[in-house]
Protein backbone atom coordinates (compact mmCIF):
# COMPACT_ATOMS: atom_id res chain seq x y z
CA UNK A 1 0.00 0.00 0.00
CA UNK A 2 1.21 3.53 -0.77
CA UNK A 3 0.76 5.98 2.07
CA UNK A 4 -0.67 9.50 1.97
CA UNK A 5 0.71 11.85 -0.72
CA UNK A 6 0.91 14.97 1.46
CA UNK A 7 0.56 16.22 5.03
CA UNK A 8 -3.13 17.08 4.58
CA UNK A 9 -3.90 13.49 3.63
CA UNK A 10 -1.80 12.21 6.55
CA UNK A 11 -3.73 14.40 8.98
CA UNK A 12 -7.06 13.27 7.54
CA UNK A 13 -6.11 9.62 7.96
CA UNK A 14 -4.86 10.09 11.53
CA UNK A 15 -8.02 11.98 12.46
CA UNK A 16 -10.27 9.24 11.07
CA UNK A 17 -8.16 6.59 12.83
CA UNK A 18 -8.41 8.35 16.20
CA UNK A 19 -11.92 9.80 16.15
CA UNK A 20 -13.81 7.59 13.71
CA UNK A 21 -16.04 8.67 10.86
CA UNK A 22 -16.70 12.33 10.11
CA UNK A 23 -18.74 14.35 7.67
CA UNK A 24 -16.73 15.88 4.83
CA UNK A 25 -17.50 19.35 6.18
CA UNK A 26 -16.24 18.54 9.69
CA UNK A 27 -13.13 16.94 8.27
CA UNK A 28 -12.15 20.11 6.41
CA UNK A 29 -12.57 22.19 9.57
CA UNK A 30 -10.61 19.69 11.68
CA UNK A 31 -7.56 19.69 9.40
CA UNK A 32 -7.77 23.38 8.56
CA UNK A 33 -8.73 23.08 4.89
CA UNK A 34 -11.50 24.72 2.95
CA UNK A 35 -14.40 22.44 2.12
CA UNK A 36 -13.38 22.26 -1.55
CA UNK A 37 -9.72 21.50 -0.82
CA UNK A 38 -10.69 18.86 1.74
CA UNK A 39 -13.00 17.31 -0.85
CA UNK A 40 -10.11 17.03 -3.32
CA UNK A 41 -7.90 15.22 -0.79
CA UNK A 42 -10.74 12.95 0.32
CA UNK A 43 -11.45 11.97 -3.27
CA UNK A 44 -7.78 11.21 -3.94
CA UNK A 45 -7.55 9.08 -0.78
CA UNK A 46 -10.77 7.28 -1.73
CA UNK A 47 -9.49 6.66 -5.28
CA UNK A 48 -6.45 4.94 -3.77
CA UNK A 49 -8.59 2.81 -1.48
CA UNK A 50 -7.45 4.37 1.81
CA UNK A 51 -10.80 5.76 2.83
CA UNK A 52 -14.43 5.45 1.94
CA UNK A 53 -16.58 8.43 1.11
CA UNK A 54 -19.65 6.64 2.36
CA UNK A 55 -21.85 4.16 0.59
CA UNK A 56 -24.13 5.32 -2.20
CA UNK A 57 -27.56 6.02 -0.71
CA UNK A 58 -29.61 2.89 -1.08
CA UNK A 59 -32.81 4.35 -2.45
CA UNK A 60 -32.20 7.41 -4.59
CA UNK A 61 -29.94 7.89 -7.52
CA UNK A 62 -26.64 6.76 -6.02
CA UNK A 63 -25.87 10.12 -4.39
CA UNK A 64 -22.88 9.59 -2.14
CA UNK A 65 -23.20 10.13 1.57
CA UNK A 66 -21.26 12.98 3.14
CA UNK A 67 -19.82 10.65 5.79
CA UNK A 68 -16.14 9.74 5.38
CA UNK A 69 -14.38 6.89 7.16
CA UNK A 70 -11.14 4.98 6.95
CA UNK A 71 -11.26 2.09 4.46
CA UNK A 72 -13.04 -0.87 6.04
CA UNK A 73 -10.42 -3.31 4.71
CA UNK A 74 -7.41 -1.49 6.17
CA UNK A 75 -5.47 -3.70 8.62
CA UNK A 76 -2.60 -3.24 11.05
CA UNK A 77 -0.77 -5.99 12.90
CA UNK A 78 0.62 -6.08 16.43
CA UNK A 79 3.17 -8.70 17.47
CA UNK A 80 3.64 -8.48 21.23
CA UNK A 81 6.44 -10.60 22.65
CA UNK A 82 6.46 -11.18 26.40
CA UNK A 83 8.97 -13.16 28.44
CA UNK A 84 6.70 -16.21 28.16
CA UNK A 85 3.97 -15.19 25.70
CA UNK A 86 3.36 -14.22 22.10
CA UNK A 87 0.23 -12.27 21.18
CA UNK A 88 -0.61 -11.43 17.58
CA UNK A 89 -3.48 -9.01 16.98
CA UNK A 90 -4.94 -7.80 13.69
CA UNK A 91 -6.81 -4.48 13.85
CA UNK A 92 -8.81 -2.38 11.45
CA UNK A 93 -7.80 1.15 10.46
CA UNK A 94 -9.32 2.55 13.67
CA UNK A 95 -7.12 0.11 15.64
CA UNK A 96 -10.04 -2.03 16.77
CA UNK A 97 -9.12 -5.72 17.02
CA UNK A 98 -10.59 -7.98 14.34
CA UNK A 99 -8.62 -11.17 15.08
CA UNK A 100 -6.23 -12.20 17.84
CA UNK A 101 -4.27 -15.22 18.97
CA UNK A 102 -2.15 -15.70 22.10
CA UNK A 103 0.28 -18.50 22.86
CA UNK A 104 2.75 -19.43 25.55
CA UNK A 105 6.23 -19.12 24.04
CA UNK A 106 9.62 -19.20 25.70
CA UNK A 107 11.64 -16.38 24.15
CA UNK A 108 14.84 -18.14 25.14
CA UNK A 109 14.19 -20.52 22.23
CA UNK A 110 15.74 -17.73 20.17
CA UNK A 111 14.63 -15.38 17.39
CA UNK A 112 14.53 -17.93 14.56
CA UNK A 113 11.95 -20.15 16.27
CA UNK A 114 9.93 -17.39 17.93
CA UNK A 115 9.74 -15.02 14.93
CA UNK A 116 8.96 -17.98 12.70
CA UNK A 117 6.00 -18.79 14.93
CA UNK A 118 4.96 -15.11 15.00
CA UNK A 119 4.80 -15.09 11.20
CA UNK A 120 2.68 -18.28 11.22
CA UNK A 121 0.25 -16.67 13.66
CA UNK A 122 0.19 -13.50 11.54
CA UNK A 123 -0.84 -15.59 8.54
CA UNK A 124 -3.58 -17.14 10.67
CA UNK A 125 -5.09 -13.86 11.92
CA UNK A 126 -4.88 -12.35 8.42
CA UNK A 127 -6.81 -15.29 7.02
CA UNK A 128 -9.41 -14.78 9.74
CA UNK A 129 -9.58 -10.97 9.57
CA UNK A 130 -9.19 -10.36 5.82
CA UNK A 131 -8.47 -6.89 4.44
CA UNK A 132 -5.15 -5.46 3.28
CA UNK A 133 -2.19 -5.27 5.65
CA UNK A 134 -0.60 -1.80 5.87
CA UNK A 135 2.05 -2.37 8.52
CA UNK A 136 3.09 -4.16 11.70
CA UNK A 137 4.32 -2.98 15.11
CA UNK A 138 6.42 -5.29 17.24
CA UNK A 139 7.05 -5.08 21.00
CA UNK A 140 10.03 -6.78 22.66
CA UNK A 141 10.67 -7.09 26.42
CA UNK A 142 14.12 -5.50 26.44
CA UNK A 143 16.13 -2.58 25.07
CA UNK A 144 15.66 -1.90 21.35
CA UNK A 145 17.67 0.36 19.07
CA UNK A 146 14.65 1.93 17.43
CA UNK A 147 16.37 3.35 14.35
CA UNK A 148 17.14 -0.10 12.92
CA UNK A 149 14.72 -2.24 14.94
CA UNK A 150 17.19 -4.55 16.69
CA UNK A 151 17.26 -5.69 20.34
CA UNK A 152 20.45 -4.62 22.12
CA UNK A 153 21.85 -6.80 24.92
CA UNK A 154 18.46 -7.87 26.35
CA UNK A 155 19.30 -9.25 29.83
CA UNK A 156 16.95 -12.27 29.70
CA UNK A 157 17.44 -13.03 26.02
CA UNK A 158 21.08 -13.52 25.06
CA UNK A 159 20.30 -15.08 21.66
CA UNK A 160 18.37 -11.99 20.55
CA UNK A 161 21.23 -9.50 20.78
CA UNK A 162 21.32 -7.46 17.53
CA UNK A 163 19.08 -9.88 15.66
CA UNK A 164 17.54 -7.94 12.71
CA UNK A 165 13.94 -8.34 13.95
CA UNK A 166 12.52 -5.43 11.96
CA UNK A 167 14.11 -6.33 8.63
CA UNK A 168 13.34 -10.03 8.93
CA UNK A 169 9.66 -9.42 9.72
CA UNK A 170 9.30 -6.70 7.06
CA UNK A 171 10.65 -9.20 4.56
CA UNK A 172 8.44 -12.09 5.65
CA UNK A 173 5.25 -10.08 6.22
CA UNK A 174 5.72 -7.91 3.13
CA UNK A 175 4.81 -4.65 4.85
CA UNK A 176 6.48 -1.82 6.81
CA UNK A 177 7.51 -2.92 10.33
CA UNK A 178 8.66 -0.98 13.39
CA UNK A 179 10.08 -2.55 16.56
CA UNK A 180 10.18 -1.01 20.02
CA UNK A 181 10.55 -1.91 23.66
CA UNK A 182 7.26 -3.28 25.07
CA UNK A 183 7.02 -0.65 27.81
CA UNK A 184 7.33 2.19 25.29
CA UNK A 185 4.50 0.65 23.30
CA UNK A 186 2.27 0.28 26.35
CA UNK A 187 2.91 3.96 27.13
CA UNK A 188 1.88 4.84 23.57
CA UNK A 189 -1.23 2.66 23.95
CA UNK A 190 -2.15 4.61 27.09
CA UNK A 191 -1.68 7.83 25.12
CA UNK A 192 -3.83 6.54 22.26
CA UNK A 193 -6.82 5.20 24.15
CA UNK A 194 -6.08 4.97 27.87
CA UNK A 195 -6.50 7.10 30.92
CA UNK A 196 -3.52 9.27 29.91
CA UNK A 197 -5.07 10.26 26.56
CA UNK A 198 -5.50 13.94 27.54
CA UNK A 199 -1.84 14.23 28.67
CA UNK A 200 1.10 15.05 26.39
CA UNK A 201 3.71 14.53 29.12
CA UNK A 202 3.38 11.50 31.39
CA UNK A 203 5.10 8.37 32.67
CA UNK A 204 3.85 4.81 32.24
CA UNK A 205 5.38 2.36 34.69
CA UNK A 206 5.20 -1.35 34.00
CA UNK A 207 5.63 -3.65 36.99
CA UNK A 208 5.80 -7.30 36.04
CA UNK A 209 8.57 -9.80 35.38
CA UNK A 210 10.69 -6.67 34.93
CA UNK A 211 10.15 -3.03 35.89
CA UNK A 212 10.41 -0.25 33.34
CA UNK A 213 9.00 3.13 32.43
CA UNK A 214 7.75 4.56 29.16
CA UNK A 215 8.23 8.30 28.83
CA UNK A 216 5.68 10.22 26.78
CA UNK A 217 6.91 13.72 26.02
CA UNK A 218 5.04 16.26 23.88
CA UNK A 219 2.64 13.53 22.82
CA UNK A 220 5.26 11.04 21.59
CA UNK A 221 7.49 8.37 23.11
CA UNK A 222 10.88 9.67 24.27
CA UNK A 223 13.49 6.95 23.65
CA UNK A 224 16.73 8.70 24.52
CA UNK A 225 20.04 8.62 22.66
CA UNK A 226 20.29 4.82 22.43
CA UNK A 227 16.71 3.67 22.97
CA UNK A 228 16.96 2.72 26.62
CA UNK A 229 15.35 5.78 28.24
CA UNK A 230 13.04 4.74 31.06
CA UNK A 231 14.90 1.57 31.99
CA UNK A 232 14.29 2.30 35.67
CA UNK A 233 14.40 -1.34 36.81
CA UNK A 234 18.16 -1.06 37.12
CA UNK A 235 18.18 2.06 39.25
CA UNK A 236 19.81 1.34 42.61
CA UNK A 237 17.50 1.81 45.60
CA UNK A 238 18.40 2.24 49.25
CA UNK A 239 18.40 -0.84 51.42
CA UNK A 240 19.18 -0.09 55.05
CA UNK A 241 17.92 -3.43 56.30
CA UNK A 242 19.93 -6.08 54.44
CA UNK A 243 22.78 -6.58 51.96
CA UNK A 244 21.59 -5.65 48.48
CA UNK A 245 20.50 -8.57 46.25
CA UNK A 246 22.29 -9.49 43.04
CA UNK A 247 20.55 -8.41 39.80
CA UNK A 248 20.54 -10.18 36.42
CA UNK A 249 22.27 -7.10 34.95
CA UNK A 250 25.39 -7.79 37.03
CA UNK A 251 24.90 -4.97 39.56
CA UNK A 252 23.45 -5.22 43.05
CA UNK A 253 20.56 -3.43 44.69
CA UNK A 254 18.59 -2.66 41.50
CA UNK A 255 14.87 -1.95 41.88
CA UNK A 256 14.13 -5.07 39.84
CA UNK A 257 16.35 -7.22 42.08
CA UNK A 258 14.02 -6.28 44.96
CA UNK A 259 10.66 -6.28 43.26
CA UNK A 260 10.70 -7.89 39.80
CA UNK A 261 8.85 -11.16 39.26
CA UNK A 262 11.94 -13.28 39.97
CA UNK A 263 12.70 -11.33 43.18
CA UNK A 264 9.17 -11.86 44.50
CA UNK A 265 9.39 -15.58 43.75
CA UNK A 266 12.78 -15.76 45.53
CA UNK A 267 11.59 -13.93 48.66
CA UNK A 268 8.32 -15.87 48.78
CA UNK A 269 10.18 -19.18 48.57
CA UNK A 270 12.59 -18.16 51.35
CA UNK A 271 9.67 -17.14 53.59
CA UNK A 272 7.85 -20.40 52.87
CA UNK A 273 10.94 -22.42 53.76
CA UNK A 274 11.93 -20.64 56.97
CA UNK A 275 8.49 -20.42 58.52
CA UNK A 276 7.66 -16.73 58.02
CA UNK A 277 4.54 -17.48 55.98
CA UNK A 278 2.20 -20.41 56.59
CA UNK A 279 0.18 -19.52 53.49
CA UNK A 280 3.21 -19.60 51.19
CA UNK A 281 4.58 -22.76 52.84
CA UNK A 282 1.30 -24.54 52.14
CA UNK A 283 1.21 -23.23 48.56
CA UNK A 284 4.82 -24.26 47.97
CA UNK A 285 4.18 -27.78 49.21
CA UNK A 286 1.23 -28.16 46.82
CA UNK A 287 2.67 -26.51 43.68
CA UNK A 288 6.44 -27.00 44.07
CA UNK A 289 7.29 -23.43 43.04
CA UNK A 290 6.09 -19.94 43.91
CA UNK A 291 5.45 -16.90 41.69
CA UNK A 292 4.35 -13.29 42.07
CA UNK A 293 0.78 -14.56 41.70
CA UNK A 294 1.17 -16.58 44.92
CA UNK A 295 2.39 -13.48 46.74
CA UNK A 296 -0.73 -11.64 45.58
CA UNK A 297 -2.94 -14.53 46.72
CA UNK A 298 -1.19 -14.60 50.09
CA UNK A 299 -1.71 -10.87 50.51
CA UNK A 300 -5.39 -11.20 49.60
CA UNK A 301 -5.65 -13.88 52.32
CA UNK A 302 -4.20 -11.46 54.89
CA UNK A 303 -0.72 -13.01 55.05
CA UNK A 304 1.56 -10.64 56.98
CA UNK A 305 4.79 -11.50 55.16
CA UNK A 306 3.30 -11.05 51.67
CA UNK A 307 1.68 -7.76 52.62
CA UNK A 308 4.98 -6.43 53.96
CA UNK A 309 6.81 -7.61 50.84
CA UNK A 310 4.42 -5.83 48.49
CA UNK A 311 4.42 -2.66 50.60
CA UNK A 312 8.23 -2.58 50.71
CA UNK A 313 8.30 -3.04 46.94
CA UNK A 314 5.78 -0.26 46.42
CA UNK A 315 7.85 2.07 48.57
CA UNK A 316 10.98 1.33 46.54
CA UNK A 317 9.12 1.97 43.28
CA UNK A 318 7.85 5.18 44.88
CA UNK A 319 11.40 6.25 45.79
CA UNK A 320 12.52 5.94 42.19
CA UNK A 321 9.40 7.67 40.85
CA UNK A 322 9.75 10.57 43.29
CA UNK A 323 13.12 11.37 41.74
CA UNK A 324 11.65 11.14 38.25
CA UNK A 325 8.76 13.43 39.14
CA UNK A 326 11.14 16.17 40.27
CA UNK A 327 13.21 15.69 37.13
CA UNK A 328 10.47 15.32 34.51
CA UNK A 329 7.36 17.00 35.98
CA UNK A 330 4.87 14.56 34.37
CA UNK A 331 1.18 15.40 34.14
CA UNK A 332 0.25 11.88 35.25
CA UNK A 333 1.80 8.55 36.26
CA UNK A 334 0.06 5.40 35.02
CA UNK A 335 0.95 2.09 36.71
CA UNK A 336 0.41 -1.10 34.68
CA UNK A 337 1.84 -4.47 33.75
CA UNK A 338 1.14 -7.90 35.18
CA UNK A 339 0.40 -6.65 38.67
CA UNK A 340 -1.27 -9.95 39.56
CA UNK A 341 -3.91 -8.34 41.72
CA UNK A 342 -1.49 -6.28 43.83
CA UNK A 343 -2.41 -3.06 42.05
CA UNK A 344 -4.32 -1.22 44.73
CA UNK A 345 -1.94 -2.04 47.59
CA UNK A 346 1.00 -1.00 45.41
CA UNK A 347 -0.70 2.18 44.30
CA UNK A 348 -1.28 3.26 47.92
CA UNK A 349 2.41 2.84 48.78
CA UNK A 350 3.64 4.52 45.61
CA UNK A 351 1.32 7.48 46.11
CA UNK A 352 2.40 7.84 49.74
CA UNK A 353 6.10 8.02 48.91
CA UNK A 354 5.80 10.19 45.79
CA UNK A 355 3.43 12.75 47.32
CA UNK A 356 5.52 12.93 50.50
CA UNK A 357 8.90 13.33 48.89
CA UNK A 358 8.31 15.40 45.74
CA UNK A 359 7.89 19.15 45.54
CA UNK A 360 4.27 20.32 45.87
CA UNK A 361 4.47 22.26 42.61
CA UNK A 362 5.32 19.05 40.72
CA UNK A 363 2.72 16.83 42.38
CA UNK A 364 -0.03 19.40 43.09
CA UNK A 365 -2.41 18.10 40.46
CA UNK A 366 -0.55 15.01 39.25
CA UNK A 367 -2.69 11.87 39.45
CA UNK A 368 -1.01 8.49 40.04
CA UNK A 369 -3.43 5.87 38.70
CA UNK A 370 -3.69 2.25 37.63
CA UNK A 371 -3.96 1.48 33.92
CA UNK A 372 -7.49 0.76 32.75
CA UNK A 373 -6.35 -0.78 29.46
CA UNK A 374 -4.29 -3.53 31.09
CA UNK A 375 -2.70 -5.82 28.52
CA UNK A 376 -4.59 -4.12 25.66
CA UNK A 377 -2.14 -1.21 25.91
CA UNK A 378 0.41 -3.41 24.11
CA UNK A 379 -1.47 -3.97 20.84
CA UNK A 380 -2.85 -0.43 20.85
CA UNK A 381 0.67 0.96 21.18
CA UNK A 382 2.12 -1.30 18.50
CA UNK A 383 -0.57 -0.50 15.93
CA UNK A 384 -0.55 3.18 16.84
CA UNK A 385 3.22 3.28 16.29
CA UNK A 386 3.13 1.69 12.85
CA UNK A 387 0.01 3.57 11.73
CA UNK A 388 1.66 6.86 12.73
CA UNK A 389 4.53 5.89 10.45
CA UNK A 390 2.28 4.80 7.58
CA UNK A 391 0.09 7.92 7.97
CA UNK A 392 3.03 10.34 7.87
ZN1 LIG B 1 19.99 -4.55 37.49
Amino acid sequence: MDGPENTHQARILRLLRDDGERSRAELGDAVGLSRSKAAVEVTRLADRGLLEGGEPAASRGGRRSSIVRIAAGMRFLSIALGATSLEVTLTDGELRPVARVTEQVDLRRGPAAVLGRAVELAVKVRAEGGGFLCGAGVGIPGPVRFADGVPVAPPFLPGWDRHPVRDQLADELGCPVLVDNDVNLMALGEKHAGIAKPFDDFLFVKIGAGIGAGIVMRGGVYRGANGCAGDIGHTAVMSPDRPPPQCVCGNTGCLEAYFGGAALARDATAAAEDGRSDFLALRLSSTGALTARDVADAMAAGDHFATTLVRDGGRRVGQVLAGLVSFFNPGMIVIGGGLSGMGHALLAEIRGVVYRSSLPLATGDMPIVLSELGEDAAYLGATRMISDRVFS
Side-chain angles (χ1 to χ4, degrees), residues 3-45:
E5 297 165 313
N6 57 45
T7 54
H8 300 311
Q9 292 185 6
R11 289 183 65 193
I12 289 171
L13 289 168
R14 288 200 299 269
L15 190 80
L16 294 172
R17 174 195 66 187
D18 298 345
D19 297 348
E21 62 182 29
R22 288 282 183 110
S23 74
R24 283 173 184 253
E26 285 174 333
L27 203 55
D29 292 343
V31 297
L33 290 176
S34 69
R35 199 171 287 204
S36 60
K37 282 185 177 157
V40 170
E41 302 297 355
V42 164
T43 302
R44 290 169 70 163
L45 285 165

Side-chain angles (χ1 to χ4, degrees), residues 154-340:
F156 300 107
L157 307 167
W160 289 74
D161 190 22
R162 290 169 215 277
H163 186 85
V165 174
R166 184 195 65 188
D167 292 349
Q168 182 184 335
L169 288 175
D171 196 39
E172 294 185 20
L173 296 170
C175 67
V177 173
L178 288 176
V179 181
D180 202 355
N181 167 265
D182 60 345
V183 185
N184 285 348
L185 292 184
M186 292 178 86
L188 192 57
E190 296 288 344
K191 171 63 190 162
H192 181 73
I195 194 165
K197 191 172 181 179
F199 293 89
D200 281 334
D201 301 277
F202 69 91
L203 296 174
F204 171 79
V205 181
K206 182 189 177 196
I207 303 175
I211 300 173
I215 303 164
V216 172
M217 190 188 281
R218 296 179 183 156
V221 171
Y222 176 76
R223 298 185 175 89
N226 299 317
C228 54
D231 202 356
I232 62 170
H234 302 284
T235 304
V237 289
M238 286 185 290
S239 56
D241 50 352
R242 54 178 176 176
Q246 183 73 37
C247 182
V248 287
C249 73
N251 292 327
T252 58
C254 297
L255 179 60
E256 211 167 284
Y258 280 105
F259 198 56
L264 283 175
R266 173 200 67 207
D267 290 351
T269 306
E273 286 169 347
D274 65 18
R276 280 176 291 158
S277 166
D278 293 341
F279 183 100
L280 291 170
L282 196 62
R283 183 63 66 89
L284 180 62
S285 70
S286 68
T287 62
L290 294 176
T291 66
R293 178 85 248 173
D294 298 309
V295 175
D297 290 349
M299 188 176 69
D303 182 81
H304 176 72
F305 171 82
T307 304
T308 306
L309 189 61
V310 172
R311 285 192 177 154
D312 285 351
R315 271 198 292 278
R316 290 192 170 100
V317 175
Q319 263 177 40
V320 172
L321 292 183
L324 295 180
V325 165
S326 304
F327 180 74
F328 180 62
N329 186 204
M332 170 180 264
I333 295 178
V334 184
I335 312 284
L339 296 171
S340 309

